[in-house]
């Protein structure tokens, strides 16, 4: 492996100049920096991580603190998000450090990571409205990017999808098909994405009476999807809008147990994060979906973290990605009206 000394001798520059160029210091002109980077690639130079930390004062890693009560490592959504994040950061020779919080929003854990110099910043996942983690990290001056939004008018860096627009469009489709009893199976009511999806759903219903649009907000699991769908079918629903594929799995089982047919007797739309292990095209009737790949979120957030460390202002790093509506066989005009 090429050393810093060898690279410096090859270029005829001091080790200090080469180190500053590699680490992005502004007192190295662009021509020299590019020359150093080109030579580093040609000679397959890999910086010593300990030396780089000493030179830059940075850890070269970002943190995520997971609630201990939630088994996120078993969640396919979390796994695909982490795949996108870690792959994108690995290309930049950065790492991700995971931790667990056993209390509240984990203020002590965030502070411990920051004081120990383990990470340069954080990714905040599953944000709540007015999330205390964002306010706490702001007070401490620690960089962070939110996967989602932690307030309605955020000043922080974030990557989100158009949850409101996606569920408004999905509800409008079901209404246009002739459905008048439509149920929403949503995530936890305090989660920002669930709030936006609920508001989009209600807007998309137009003048449909609220009594004909029951809403269930809960953990997004197969079991909860089954329970909520049984209740919705008993109340006369002819169409369902699910916030996750896991909820849709439970919904399909409930439809089958009621001796009904997905697509023929009950229409269903679900949000699809394009998970590697769960295909929405493999249901008994391929699902109409609002699609936004979760890996793309991890990749985008990796770039935002790096931009923050390069000095970008958080308010310039805000993205709301569009959501694609994919029409398939699970949405049809109703065969029955209660």
């Amino acid at each position: 492996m090429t050393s810093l000394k060898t690279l410096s001798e090859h270029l005829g520059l001091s080790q200090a100049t080469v180190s500053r160029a590699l680490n992005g210091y502004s007192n190295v002109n662009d021509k020299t920096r590019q020359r150093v980077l080109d030579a580093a690639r040609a000679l397959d130079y890999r910086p010593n991580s300990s030396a780089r930390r000493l030179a830059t004062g940075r850890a070269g890693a970002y943190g995520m603190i997971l609630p201990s009560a939630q088994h996120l490592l078993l969640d396919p959504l979390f796994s695909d998000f982490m795949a996108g994040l870690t792959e994108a950061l690995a290309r930049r020779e950065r790492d991700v450090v995971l931790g667990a919080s056993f209390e509240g929003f984990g203020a002590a854990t965030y502070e411990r990571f920051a004081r120990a110099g383990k990470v340069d910043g954080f990714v905040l996942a599953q944000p709540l409205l007015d999330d205390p983690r964002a306010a706490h990290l702001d007070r401490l001056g620690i960089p962070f990017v939110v996967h989602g939004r932690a307030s309605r008018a955020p000043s922080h860096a974030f990557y989100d999808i158009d949850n409101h627009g996606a569920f408004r469009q999905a509800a409008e489709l079901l209404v246009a098909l002739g459905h008048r009893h439509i149920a929403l199976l949503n995530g936890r009511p305090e989660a920002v994405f669930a709030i936006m999806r609920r508001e989009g759903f209600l807007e998309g219903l137009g003048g449909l009476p609220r009594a004909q649009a029951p809403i269930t907000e809960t953990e997004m699991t197969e079991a909860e999807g089954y329970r909520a769908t049984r209740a919705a079918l008993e109340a006369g629903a002819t169409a369902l809008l699910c916030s996750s594929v896991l909820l849709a799995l439970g919904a399909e089982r409930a439809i089958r147990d009621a001796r009904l047919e997905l697509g023929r007797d009950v229409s269903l739309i679900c949000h699809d994060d394009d998970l590697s292990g769960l295909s929405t095209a493999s249901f008994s009737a391929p699902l109409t979906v609002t699609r936004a790949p979760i890996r793309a979120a991890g990749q985008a957030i990796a770039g935002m973290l790096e931009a923050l460390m390069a000095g970008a202002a958080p308010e310039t790093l805000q993205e709301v990605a569009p959501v694609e509506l994919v029409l398939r066989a699970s949405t049809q005009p109703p065969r029955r009206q209660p």
Side-chain angles (χ1 to χ4, degrees), residues 75-150:
D75 184 341
L77 199 73
F78 178 77
S79 299
D80 273 30
F81 170 77
M82 287 299 294
L85 178 70
T86 54
E87 288 168 6
L89 287 175
R91 287 193 291 271
R92 298 170 168 89
E93 298 186 347
R94 302 290 190 264
D95 300 316
V96 177
V97 180
L98 297 180
S101 169
F102 295 93
E103 42 80 31
F105 63 87
T109 309
Y110 284 99
E111 290 183 29
R112 176 168 57 84
F113 269 49
R115 282 199 309 269
K118 292 182 177 182
V119 299
D120 298 317
F122 290 95
V123 179
L124 300 190
Q126 299 183 321
L128 308 179
L129 190 61
D130 299 322
D131 198 302
R133 295 174 297 172
H136 188 66
L137 290 176
D138 262 337
R139 285 194 297 271
L140 295 175
I142 299 172
F144 65 94
V145 178
V146 180
H147 180 203
R149 276 172 274 188

Side-chain angles (χ1 to χ4, degrees), residues 168-199:
R168 182 194 67 243
Q169 191 176 8
E172 288 172 346
L173 171 62
L174 293 171
V175 170
L177 287 171
H179 292 278
R180 296 297 178 264
H181 291 75
I182 305 168
L184 172 65
L185 281 61
N186 203 9
R188 294 185 306 156
E190 67 272 21
V192 177
F193 80 88
I195 294 170
M196 292 183 172
R197 290 178 184 181
R198 181 203 319 133
E199 292 175 350

Side-chain angles (χ1 to χ4, degrees), residues 105-333:
F105 63 87
T109 309
Y110 284 99
E111 290 183 29
R112 176 168 57 84
F113 269 49
R115 282 199 309 269
K118 292 182 177 182
V119 299
D120 298 317
F122 290 95
V123 179
L124 300 190
Q126 299 183 321
L128 308 179
L129 190 61
D130 299 322
D131 198 302
R133 295 174 297 172
H136 188 66
L137 290 176
D138 262 337
R139 285 194 297 271
L140 295 175
I142 299 172
F144 65 94
V145 178
V146 180
H147 180 203
R149 276 172 274 188
S151 71
R152 289 188 179 274
S155 58
H156 53 259
F158 71 82
Y159 177 93
D160 200 4
I161 62 172
D162 184 9
N163 288 294
H164 183 282
F167 274 55
R168 182 194 67 243
Q169 191 176 8
E172 288 172 346
L173 171 62
L174 293 171
V175 170
L177 287 171
H179 292 278
R180 296 297 178 264
H181 291 75
I182 305 168
L184 172 65
L185 281 61
N186 203 9
R188 294 185 306 156
E190 67 272 21
V192 177
F193 80 88
I195 294 170
M196 292 183 172
R197 290 178 184 181
R198 181 203 319 133
E199 292 175 350
F201 169 73
L202 292 173
E203 183 178 315
L205 295 178
L208 195 68
R210 182 66 178 78
Q212 294 171 209
I215 296 174
T216 301
E217 296 184 303
T218 182
E219 295 293 336
M220 296 194 296
T221 65
E222 192 272 351
E224 289 295 336
Y226 181 86
R227 181 190 62 78
T229 300
R230 286 291 297 266
L233 293 176
E234 289 171 5
T238 63
L240 308 169
L241 178 51
C242 296
S243 264
S244 80
V245 181
L246 293 176
L247 288 170
L249 284 170
E252 182 182 42
R253 181 163 64 91
I255 292 167
R256 185 173 60 247
D257 285 357
R259 300 185 182 280
L260 299 172
E261 184 178 332
L262 177 62
R264 180 175 179 272
D265 299 305
V266 181
S267 286
L268 191 153
I269 302 175
C270 88
H271 181 69
D272 179 15
D273 291 286
D274 199 18
L275 300 176
S276 55
L278 283 174
S279 172
T280 52
S282 299
F283 280 64
S284 57
L287 297 186
T288 293
V289 296
T290 57
R291 175 180 288 163
I294 191 72
R295 281 184 179 239
Q299 293 162 355
I301 287 172
M304 289 180 175
L305 288 166
E306 290 289 274
L308 281 177
M309 297 311 299
E315 61 271 17
T316 67
L317 300 171
Q318 299 180 341
E319 181 175 353
V320 179
V323 180
E324 179 185 14
L325 180 63
V326 181
L327 300 178
R328 297 200 188 110
S330 71
T331 45
Q332 304 290 339

